[in-house]
Short mmCIF file of all heavy atoms in Angstrom, two decimals:
data_model
loop_
_atom_site.label_atom_id
_atom_site.label_comp_id
_atom_site.label_asym_id
_atom_site.label_seq_id
_atom_site.Cartn_x
_atom_site.Cartn_y
_atom_site.Cartn_z
N GLN F 616 230.66 237.30 -74.03
CA GLN F 616 231.77 236.39 -74.32
C GLN F 616 231.29 234.95 -74.12
O GLN F 616 230.63 234.63 -73.14
CB GLN F 616 232.95 236.68 -73.38
CG GLN F 616 234.22 235.94 -73.71
CD GLN F 616 234.96 236.56 -74.88
OE1 GLN F 616 234.63 237.64 -75.35
NE2 GLN F 616 235.97 235.88 -75.37
N VAL F 617 231.62 234.11 -75.07
CA VAL F 617 231.27 232.69 -75.01
C VAL F 617 232.56 231.88 -75.04
O VAL F 617 233.43 232.13 -75.88
CB VAL F 617 230.37 232.28 -76.19
CG1 VAL F 617 230.08 230.79 -76.14
CG2 VAL F 617 229.07 233.09 -76.18
N GLN F 618 232.67 230.94 -74.16
CA GLN F 618 233.82 230.04 -74.16
C GLN F 618 233.37 228.65 -74.58
O GLN F 618 232.32 228.16 -74.13
CB GLN F 618 234.48 230.01 -72.79
CG GLN F 618 235.14 231.33 -72.43
CD GLN F 618 235.91 231.26 -71.11
OE1 GLN F 618 235.53 230.54 -70.21
NE2 GLN F 618 236.98 232.03 -71.02
N LEU F 619 234.17 228.02 -75.42
CA LEU F 619 233.87 226.69 -75.95
C LEU F 619 235.02 225.75 -75.64
O LEU F 619 236.18 226.10 -75.84
CB LEU F 619 233.65 226.76 -77.46
CG LEU F 619 232.57 227.71 -77.96
CD1 LEU F 619 232.64 227.83 -79.47
CD2 LEU F 619 231.20 227.24 -77.53
N VAL F 620 234.69 224.56 -75.18
CA VAL F 620 235.71 223.56 -74.88
C VAL F 620 235.32 222.25 -75.56
O VAL F 620 234.30 221.65 -75.21
CB VAL F 620 235.86 223.34 -73.37
CG1 VAL F 620 236.91 222.27 -73.09
CG2 VAL F 620 236.23 224.65 -72.68
N GLU F 621 236.14 221.84 -76.53
CA GLU F 621 235.89 220.57 -77.23
C GLU F 621 236.58 219.42 -76.52
O GLU F 621 237.61 219.61 -75.86
CB GLU F 621 236.41 220.64 -78.68
CG GLU F 621 235.81 221.71 -79.55
CD GLU F 621 236.73 222.90 -79.71
OE1 GLU F 621 237.54 223.15 -78.80
OE2 GLU F 621 236.65 223.58 -80.75
N SER F 622 236.03 218.24 -76.69
CA SER F 622 236.64 217.02 -76.16
C SER F 622 236.18 215.85 -77.02
O SER F 622 235.26 215.98 -77.82
CB SER F 622 236.26 216.81 -74.70
OG SER F 622 234.86 216.68 -74.57
N GLY F 623 236.84 214.72 -76.81
CA GLY F 623 236.41 213.50 -77.48
C GLY F 623 237.27 213.08 -78.66
O GLY F 623 237.04 212.02 -79.25
N GLY F 624 238.25 213.89 -79.02
CA GLY F 624 239.11 213.51 -80.12
C GLY F 624 240.04 212.38 -79.72
O GLY F 624 240.11 211.98 -78.56
N GLY F 625 240.76 211.85 -80.71
CA GLY F 625 241.69 210.77 -80.44
C GLY F 625 242.11 210.06 -81.69
O GLY F 625 241.88 210.53 -82.80
N LEU F 626 242.72 208.91 -81.48
CA LEU F 626 243.19 208.06 -82.57
C LEU F 626 242.24 206.90 -82.75
O LEU F 626 241.90 206.21 -81.76
CB LEU F 626 244.61 207.55 -82.26
CG LEU F 626 245.20 206.54 -83.23
CD1 LEU F 626 245.40 207.16 -84.60
CD2 LEU F 626 246.53 206.01 -82.68
N VAL F 627 241.81 206.67 -83.97
CA VAL F 627 240.86 205.59 -84.24
C VAL F 627 241.21 204.96 -85.59
O VAL F 627 241.75 205.64 -86.46
CB VAL F 627 239.41 206.13 -84.24
CG1 VAL F 627 239.18 207.13 -85.36
CG2 VAL F 627 238.39 205.01 -84.30
N GLN F 628 240.92 203.70 -85.74
CA GLN F 628 241.16 203.03 -87.00
C GLN F 628 240.06 203.39 -88.00
O GLN F 628 238.93 203.71 -87.62
CB GLN F 628 241.20 201.52 -86.81
CG GLN F 628 242.45 201.03 -86.08
CD GLN F 628 242.55 199.52 -86.06
OE1 GLN F 628 241.54 198.83 -86.12
NE2 GLN F 628 243.77 199.00 -85.99
N ALA F 629 240.40 203.30 -89.27
CA ALA F 629 239.41 203.54 -90.32
C ALA F 629 238.22 202.61 -90.13
O ALA F 629 238.39 201.43 -89.81
CB ALA F 629 240.04 203.33 -91.69
N GLY F 630 237.04 203.18 -90.29
CA GLY F 630 235.82 202.43 -90.07
C GLY F 630 235.26 202.57 -88.67
O GLY F 630 234.12 202.16 -88.40
N GLY F 631 236.05 203.13 -87.78
CA GLY F 631 235.63 203.30 -86.40
C GLY F 631 234.80 204.55 -86.18
O GLY F 631 234.44 205.26 -87.13
N SER F 632 234.50 204.81 -84.90
CA SER F 632 233.63 205.92 -84.54
C SER F 632 234.24 206.74 -83.40
O SER F 632 235.01 206.22 -82.59
CB SER F 632 232.27 205.40 -84.09
OG SER F 632 231.61 204.71 -85.12
N LEU F 633 233.88 208.00 -83.37
CA LEU F 633 234.20 208.90 -82.27
C LEU F 633 233.02 209.84 -82.07
O LEU F 633 232.30 210.14 -83.03
CB LEU F 633 235.45 209.73 -82.56
CG LEU F 633 236.82 209.08 -82.44
CD1 LEU F 633 237.90 210.06 -82.91
CD2 LEU F 633 237.11 208.65 -81.01
N ARG F 634 232.85 210.31 -80.84
CA ARG F 634 231.87 211.36 -80.58
C ARG F 634 232.57 212.55 -79.96
O ARG F 634 233.16 212.44 -78.88
CB ARG F 634 230.75 210.88 -79.66
CG ARG F 634 229.63 211.92 -79.55
CD ARG F 634 228.45 211.45 -78.74
NE ARG F 634 228.65 211.64 -77.31
CZ ARG F 634 227.67 211.81 -76.44
NH1 ARG F 634 226.42 211.82 -76.85
NH2 ARG F 634 227.94 211.94 -75.16
N LEU F 635 232.51 213.65 -80.64
CA LEU F 635 233.06 214.89 -80.13
C LEU F 635 232.00 215.65 -79.35
O LEU F 635 230.82 215.61 -79.70
CB LEU F 635 233.57 215.77 -81.27
CG LEU F 635 234.58 215.14 -82.24
CD1 LEU F 635 235.02 216.17 -83.26
CD2 LEU F 635 235.74 214.54 -81.51
N SER F 636 232.43 216.32 -78.31
CA SER F 636 231.55 217.17 -77.52
C SER F 636 232.12 218.58 -77.47
O SER F 636 233.33 218.78 -77.53
CB SER F 636 231.42 216.64 -76.08
OG SER F 636 230.89 215.34 -76.06
N CYS F 637 231.23 219.54 -77.35
CA CYS F 637 231.65 220.94 -77.22
C CYS F 637 230.76 221.58 -76.16
O CYS F 637 229.55 221.75 -76.38
CB CYS F 637 231.51 221.66 -78.54
SG CYS F 637 231.83 223.43 -78.44
N ALA F 638 231.36 221.90 -75.03
CA ALA F 638 230.64 222.54 -73.95
C ALA F 638 230.79 224.05 -74.04
O ALA F 638 231.91 224.56 -74.20
CB ALA F 638 231.16 222.05 -72.60
N ALA F 639 229.68 224.75 -73.95
CA ALA F 639 229.69 226.20 -74.11
C ALA F 639 229.25 226.90 -72.84
O ALA F 639 228.39 226.41 -72.10
CB ALA F 639 228.76 226.60 -75.25
N SER F 640 229.87 228.03 -72.59
CA SER F 640 229.42 228.88 -71.50
C SER F 640 228.33 229.81 -72.03
O SER F 640 228.11 229.90 -73.23
CB SER F 640 230.58 229.71 -70.95
OG SER F 640 231.03 230.61 -71.96
N GLY F 641 227.65 230.48 -71.13
CA GLY F 641 226.66 231.43 -71.59
C GLY F 641 225.25 230.97 -71.29
O GLY F 641 224.91 229.82 -71.52
N ARG F 642 224.46 231.90 -70.78
CA ARG F 642 223.10 231.55 -70.38
C ARG F 642 222.13 231.51 -71.54
O ARG F 642 220.99 231.11 -71.37
CB ARG F 642 222.62 232.55 -69.33
CG ARG F 642 223.32 232.40 -67.99
CD ARG F 642 222.91 233.50 -67.03
NE ARG F 642 223.49 234.78 -67.40
CZ ARG F 642 223.28 235.90 -66.72
NH1 ARG F 642 222.49 235.91 -65.67
NH2 ARG F 642 223.83 237.02 -67.11
N THR F 643 222.57 231.94 -72.72
CA THR F 643 221.67 231.95 -73.87
C THR F 643 222.09 230.93 -74.91
O THR F 643 221.86 231.13 -76.10
CB THR F 643 221.62 233.36 -74.48
OG1 THR F 643 222.96 233.77 -74.82
CG2 THR F 643 221.00 234.35 -73.53
N PHE F 644 222.69 229.83 -74.46
CA PHE F 644 223.16 228.80 -75.39
C PHE F 644 222.04 228.33 -76.30
O PHE F 644 222.26 228.05 -77.47
CB PHE F 644 223.73 227.62 -74.59
CG PHE F 644 224.12 226.45 -75.45
CD1 PHE F 644 225.33 226.44 -76.11
CD2 PHE F 644 223.28 225.35 -75.58
CE1 PHE F 644 225.71 225.36 -76.90
CE2 PHE F 644 223.64 224.27 -76.36
CZ PHE F 644 224.86 224.27 -77.01
N SER F 645 220.83 228.24 -75.77
CA SER F 645 219.72 227.70 -76.55
C SER F 645 219.34 228.59 -77.72
O SER F 645 218.59 228.18 -78.59
CB SER F 645 218.50 227.49 -75.66
OG SER F 645 218.08 228.71 -75.10
N THR F 646 219.88 229.81 -77.78
CA THR F 646 219.59 230.71 -78.89
C THR F 646 220.71 230.71 -79.93
O THR F 646 220.61 231.39 -80.95
CB THR F 646 219.39 232.15 -78.40
OG1 THR F 646 220.63 232.64 -77.87
CG2 THR F 646 218.32 232.21 -77.32
N TYR F 647 221.78 229.97 -79.68
CA TYR F 647 222.93 229.99 -80.58
C TYR F 647 222.77 228.97 -81.71
O TYR F 647 222.28 227.87 -81.50
CB TYR F 647 224.22 229.65 -79.83
CG TYR F 647 224.59 230.56 -78.68
CD1 TYR F 647 225.43 230.11 -77.68
CD2 TYR F 647 224.13 231.86 -78.60
CE1 TYR F 647 225.79 230.91 -76.62
CE2 TYR F 647 224.47 232.68 -77.54
CZ TYR F 647 225.31 232.20 -76.55
OH TYR F 647 225.66 233.00 -75.50
N VAL F 648 223.27 229.34 -82.87
CA VAL F 648 223.49 228.37 -83.95
C VAL F 648 224.91 227.82 -83.74
O VAL F 648 225.85 228.59 -83.49
CB VAL F 648 223.37 229.03 -85.33
CG1 VAL F 648 223.66 228.03 -86.43
CG2 VAL F 648 221.97 229.63 -85.50
N MET F 649 225.05 226.52 -83.81
CA MET F 649 226.33 225.89 -83.53
C MET F 649 226.85 225.20 -84.78
O MET F 649 226.08 224.61 -85.56
CB MET F 649 226.19 224.86 -82.42
CG MET F 649 225.66 225.42 -81.11
SD MET F 649 226.76 226.61 -80.34
CE MET F 649 228.20 225.59 -80.03
N GLY F 650 228.17 225.21 -84.92
CA GLY F 650 228.77 224.55 -86.07
C GLY F 650 230.02 223.79 -85.69
O GLY F 650 230.63 224.04 -84.65
#
């Protein structure tokens, strides 16, 4: 079982920037393909 928690969303004006993050559980994260 893998748990994923996203963060970083919000309200931004056109032309602006945001960075989303996704933290994953699991000891084999380095073997996962992420999307």
Side-chain angles (χ1 to χ4, degrees):
Q616 188 78 9
V617 177
Q618 293 185 328
L619 303 171
V620 179
E621 300 102 333
S622 61
L626 174 64
V627 64
Q628 289 188 332
S632 298
L633 283 174
R634 188 176 84 153
L635 305 183
S636 299
C637 174
S640 65
R642 289 174 288 180
T643 56
F644 174 81
S645 61
T646 66
Y647 301 157
V648 178
M649 302 295 298

